[in-house]
Amino acid sequence: MLLGAHLRRLREAQGVSREDAGWEIRASESKISRMELGRVSFKERDVEDLLTLYGLVDNEERERLLSLARQANTPGWWHRYGDVLPNWFQSYLGLEAAASMIRTYEVQFVPGLLQTADYARAVVLLGHGRARPEEIDRRVDLRMRRQSILDRPDVVQLWAVIDEAVLRRPVGSRAAMRGQIEALIDATGSKSVHLQVLPFRVGGHSAAGGAFSILRFPDQELPDIVYVEQLSSALYLDKRDDVELYVDAMERLCVEADPPERAADTLRKILKDI
Amino acid sequence: MAEDAEANGLDQDRTQIDTTVPQSARIYDYWLGGKDNFAPDRAVAEALAAQIPTIRTMVRSQRVFLVRAVDYLVRKAGIRQFLDIGTGIPSLDNVHEVAQRIAPECRILYVDNDPIVLAHARALMTSTEEGRTAFILSDLRQPQAILDNPVLRETLDLDRPVALFLVGVLHHLHDSDDPRGLIATLLQALPSGSYFALTQPTADFDASAMGGMAATAEQSGIPYVPRGRAEVEEFLSGLTVVEPGLVPIPAWNPLDLDYPGSAEVDRDPYSVYGWAAVARKP
């Protein structure tokens, strides 16, 4: 998907239409579209031809993008979880693992990257209550594996705004909920996690629409990507105008929410009420 | 909790975010290659860059000066406390990162009048265990409000020297804002042995380019006042200016600190249209 974003940036900079790009690699306009969205695998030769069409002659830069193509074709660790992973979510895991900053807003659940195993299990059961126990285990495992990215604080930062409702609504047992709040209190001490609670006393606010995430990548030329999850699919937005609407909403949320230094106190108060 | 929020100026400032109006912090972010800016900010940033094509280099050199000045003050002047007004959106190497890398116990109070800057700074500019970073939403034009904010005393010990940083901010003050008076008020609150670091864009090196820059900025609603050498000297009156004195921004490098992004202007410091100095309060 990152390579796709590069390809789109280069194509647009050269003013080449999707149709013409498709012609160049003996494919359809929609194939180009799918490549740019990271929905199909990349043939190295196609990528080479496109880079030439887009006037990219710098060898080092070509090699860098071609290596992205090879990487994109190498399955990530999550590939082993294919049975419990819809395709539209696989792209997200790739982006999450490549991100340098993940800003997220949650209204219903604790962000996946901060969930405890017990809490995650309760969430999974809400959606897949009739699944076999082994499948439930695999879904929980998958979520726990994702969290390893936070062990590299120099690499990725997670900046989360969590609605107070997330912390008040019981998910799973009382013990699971307490364990989750305690884990969040621990997380506030982490160098890579920045947590803001959006308290009830803040009235209607800017992101009334619901949860979303904005991912930023270490490569400055890549656009930020907005991820909005739906029941059976997800939106990935990377057009500047679209992204900016979400960034604007996120900035408002961050200004409206309690500052990060107050998160631990708020969580401790909530823990007392459970 | 509501009381704390009010004390920190949060509640009354909730409504102030308006990303349809260009904002200087986001314009700088754009020039520095950041992504925390919006279409109106970029439009102004590009219009300004048309007046001074080297603007990105100038803005970077301002950041380089900041790094060099912090480095110098921690290493050579024993400074462990900083008051940075006009912080801007967190960038590479903010004051506390440079200072705490050398002396982890350094304490830094950041002040900005942009709520988005405050939100980013609070979330991302975290201190070492030994030191402290704190943030207040306040305006340089109300220095007494900055000094009276309880967070200032919680963060800085005003019986010990403090370095006041006004980097990339003085030109956003009109003369009618009385910059000399504001500086005097702030410095008066700091003890002897404190320092003052400033940058100030100037028309002294290229009057027409800087004139175009200022006019374009003002038209976009961004105050922009270039000042001549004599005016900057007035900002420093009563203080002892440390070597190398009041110089073009890239030329301020007493410790010969190598820092990425500076080589291009090191050859010709006058290609950056701004003055810089660090001075000590006797």
Side-chain angles (χ1 to χ4, degrees):
Chain A
M1 177 139 183
L2 291 179
L3 176 60
H6 274 297
L7 288 174
R8 183 163 116 192
R9 176 177 59 80
L10 290 165
R11 180 178 58 74
E12 287 175 348
Q14 286 291 313
V16 176
S17 71
R18 284 201 180 91
E19 202 182 350
D20 290 347
W23 175 257
E24 180 72 18
I25 61 163
R26 306 146 299 274
S28 63
E29 180 183 347
S30 85
K31 165 92 181 267
I32 295 293
S33 197
R34 277 176 290 143
M35 281 176 83
E36 291 179 358
L37 288 167
R39 300 274 162 80
V40 288
S41 63
F42 296 96
K43 286 204 193 84
E44 217 173 307
R45 185 178 149 204
D46 289 350
V47 175
E48 285 207 56
D49 290 347
L50 287 177
L51 294 179
T52 306
L53 177 68
Y54 301 158
L56 191 75
V57 290
D58 182 79
N59 268 331
E60 220 170 282
E61 185 65 8
R62 285 180 73 97
E63 191 36 52
R64 193 172 70 93
L65 294 177
L66 286 170
S67 78
L68 274 182
R70 287 188 286 270
Q71 261 174 42
N73 293 337
T74 317
W77 59 262
W78 51 87
H79 195 72
R80 292 197 297 113
Y81 292 84
D83 55 325
V84 291
L85 251 185
N87 283 334
W88 53 263
F89 193 60
Q90 296 206 16
S91 311
Y92 180 75
L93 294 180
L95 294 175
E96 186 178 77
S100 56
M101 164 84 82
I102 301 169
R103 295 179 75 176
T104 186
Y105 168 58
E106 287 286 352
V107 288
Q108 175 92 337
F109 298 120
V110 167
L113 287 174
L114 299 175
Q115 290 181 7
T116 62
D118 285 349
Y119 182 95
R121 180 171 303 274
V123 174
V124 168
L125 282 169
L126 288 175
H128 306 272
R130 270 174 290 180
R132 287 172 297 115
E134 308 87 80
E135 183 191 325
I136 305 284
D137 286 346
R138 283 177 63 68
R139 288 183 184 276
V140 173
D141 279 356
L142 169 66
R143 195 157 300 175
M144 295 300 109
R145 287 268 327 243
R146 278 170 60 197
Q147 298 179 354
S148 63
I149 63 166
L150 294 179
D151 301 337
R152 308 168 299 163
D154 47 331
V155 179
V156 68
Q157 302 279 308
L158 173 65
W159 183 3
V161 177
I162 301 180
D163 195 284
E164 187 173 343
V166 169
L167 307 167
R168 297 280 184 190
R169 172 175 291 116
V171 170
S173 66
R174 179 166 171 269
M177 201 60 206
R178 287 188 63 91
Q180 178 63 68
I181 302 288
E182 281 164 0
L184 288 176
I185 294 172
D186 283 349
T188 61
S190 154
K191 279 257 173 222
S192 49
V193 178
H194 317 282
L195 206 59
Q196 293 188 253
V197 177
L198 186 69
F200 284 144
R201 68 179 156 73
V202 177
H205 49 75
S206 43
F212 64 97
S213 299
I214 305 171
L215 290 89
R216 178 165 296 175
F217 305 94
D219 188 335
Q220 280 207 346
E221 288 184 21
L222 286 176
D224 290 354
I225 291 180
V226 171
Y227 174 75
V228 188
E229 198 167 302
Q230 298 161 338
L231 269 183
S232 61
S233 65
L235 281 178
Y236 294 90
L237 306 171
D238 71 348
K239 283 205 188 108
R240 192 125 208 187
D241 291 350
D242 294 335
V243 172
E244 240 154 64
L245 280 175
Y246 283 88
V247 174
D248 179 272
M250 187 65 90
E251 298 294 16
R252 283 167 202 279
L253 287 164
C254 290
V255 169
E256 286 162 3
D258 286 342
E261 66 259 30
R262 219 177 295 153
D265 280 350
T266 305
L267 289 163
R268 276 188 212 103
K269 272 182 206 148
I270 290 171
L271 187 60
K272 272 191 214 144
D273 296 343
I274 298 174
Chain B
M1 212 147 79
E3 297 84 353
D4 310 358
E6 255 166 75
N8 285 330
L10 281 178
D11 282 331
Q12 62 264 43
D13 292 299
R14 282 213 165 97
T15 54
Q16 279 186 9
I17 287 197
D18 185 354
T19 56
T20 64
V21 176
Q23 252 289 338
S24 59
R26 300 196 293 262
I27 292 172
Y28 285 112
D29 176 71
Y30 174 71
W31 283 331
L32 289 167
K35 292 212 185 81
D36 296 310
N37 48 71
F38 294 85
D41 308 311
R42 293 193 292 279
V44 174
E46 287 298 340
L48 294 173
Q51 299 297 323
I52 299 188
T54 54
I55 187 70
R56 285 178 183 79
T57 312
M58 287 178 49
V59 171
R60 265 202 306 277
S61 74
Q62 217 164 254
R63 296 296 301 182
V64 172
F65 166 74
L66 179 119
V67 170
R68 287 172 173 169
V70 172
D71 186 278
Y72 170 87
L73 290 170
V74 177
R75 262 186 233 281
K76 296 290 166 187
I79 289 291
R80 294 292 181 271
Q81 307 191 96
F82 292 84
L83 173 55
D84 178 36
I85 304 178
T87 300
I89 290 170
S91 173
L92 192 67
D93 283 335
N94 304 290
V95 173
H96 74 285
E97 282 147 338
V98 181
Q100 293 182 340
R101 222 178 281 147
I102 307 165
E105 71 274 24
C106 284
R107 302 170 75 86
I108 295 91
L109 178 64
Y110 289 109
V111 182
D112 205 288
N113 64 357
D114 182 338
I116 293 184
V117 169
L118 183 80
H120 282 246
R122 278 185 142 148
L124 305 177
M125 306 207 333
T126 44
S127 173
T128 54
E129 295 274 318
E130 302 90 328
R132 169 110 197 247
T133 53
F135 315 90
I136 55 179
L137 187 65
S138 211
D139 198 308
L140 174 55
R141 280 166 290 220
Q142 275 123 33
Q144 202 53 50
I146 296 173
L147 295 170
D148 290 344
N149 192 307
V151 177
L152 182 124
R153 302 273 172 164
E154 287 162 22
T155 314
L156 305 176
D157 175 359
L158 295 190
D159 294 327
R160 293 172 46 223
V162 175
L164 168 66
F165 271 60
L166 299 179
V167 172
V169 65
L170 285 168
H171 58 291
H172 293 312
L173 298 177
H174 289 128
D175 286 346
S176 56
D177 293 320
D178 186 20
R180 267 192 79 177
L182 307 178
I183 293 168
T185 305
L186 290 166
L187 286 175
Q188 205 163 17
L190 307 181
S192 157
S194 290
Y195 282 82
F196 173 33
L198 68 78
T199 61
Q200 168 65 59
T202 187
D204 291 353
F205 313 152
D206 186 334
S208 83
M210 190 44 87
M213 173 92 175
T216 308
E218 293 278 357
Q219 273 159 26
S220 315
I222 313 263
Y224 201 107
V225 185
R227 292 189 171 91
R229 188 183 171 99
E231 287 170 280
V232 184
E233 278 169 349
E234 281 180 22
F235 291 162
L236 298 164
S237 69
L239 306 174
T240 313
V241 179
V242 304
E243 289 301 321
L246 177 60
V247 294
I249 296 171
W252 201 94
N253 192 10
L255 299 186
D256 262 329
L257 189 66
D258 236 351
Y259 190 79
S262 56
E264 47 193 315
V265 288
D266 280 349
R267 282 186 293 276
D268 178 16
Y270 290 90
S271 64
V272 168
Y273 309 142
W275 294 109
V278 173
R280 184 177 188 277
K281 181 176 173 177

